[in-house]
Amino acid sequence: MNLGRITLITPPDKLFNTNLSYLIVKPSNVVKQQFQTILSKSIDDLNVFIYDQEETDTSWLLSVALQVDVVLIDVDNC
């Protein structure tokens, strides 16, 4: 069994392909670790967009939120 490839994307970059895509907004280290554990079992190629604590590019955030399949927001860090 082969595991899929995970592509991490951060502002200002974007990636347009047909892979399942996630956006993680302001994740804590705990959330990052939990998400990594879940993704480590995936056999599909995935895109993970990360909008982290020090980011301020809200236009990137909004455009990516419309593009991805799943948006995860760590509301405790927002």
Side-chain angles (χ1 to χ4, degrees):
M1 175 174 89
N2 288 334
L3 295 178
R5 183 177 60 189
I6 299 172
T7 305
L8 296 176
I9 305 107
T10 57
D13 298 328
K14 292 185 182 178
L15 180 63
F16 301 97
N17 59 24
T18 59
N19 295 347
L20 182 62
S21 296
Y22 294 89
L23 169 61
I24 305 176
V25 180
K26 304 281 186 178
S28 66
N29 288 335
V30 172
V31 170
K32 288 178 186 178
Q33 183 63 40
Q34 291 171 340
F35 191 64
Q36 179 181 349
T37 302
I38 293 168
L39 293 183
S40 69
K41 297 170 177 65
S42 176
I43 59 172
D44 298 322
D45 289 345
L46 304 170
N47 300 329
V48 178
F49 293 85
I50 299 178
Y51 189 81
D52 218 341
Q53 296 295 344
E54 54 277 341
E55 301 300 335
T56 59
D57 190 351
T58 54
S59 61
W60 180 91
L61 174 64
L62 295 174
S63 67
V64 168
L66 293 173
Q67 171 189 338
V68 299
D69 300 298
V70 179
V71 177
L72 301 170
I73 301 173
D74 188 352
V75 293
D76 292 334
N77 287 330
C78 289

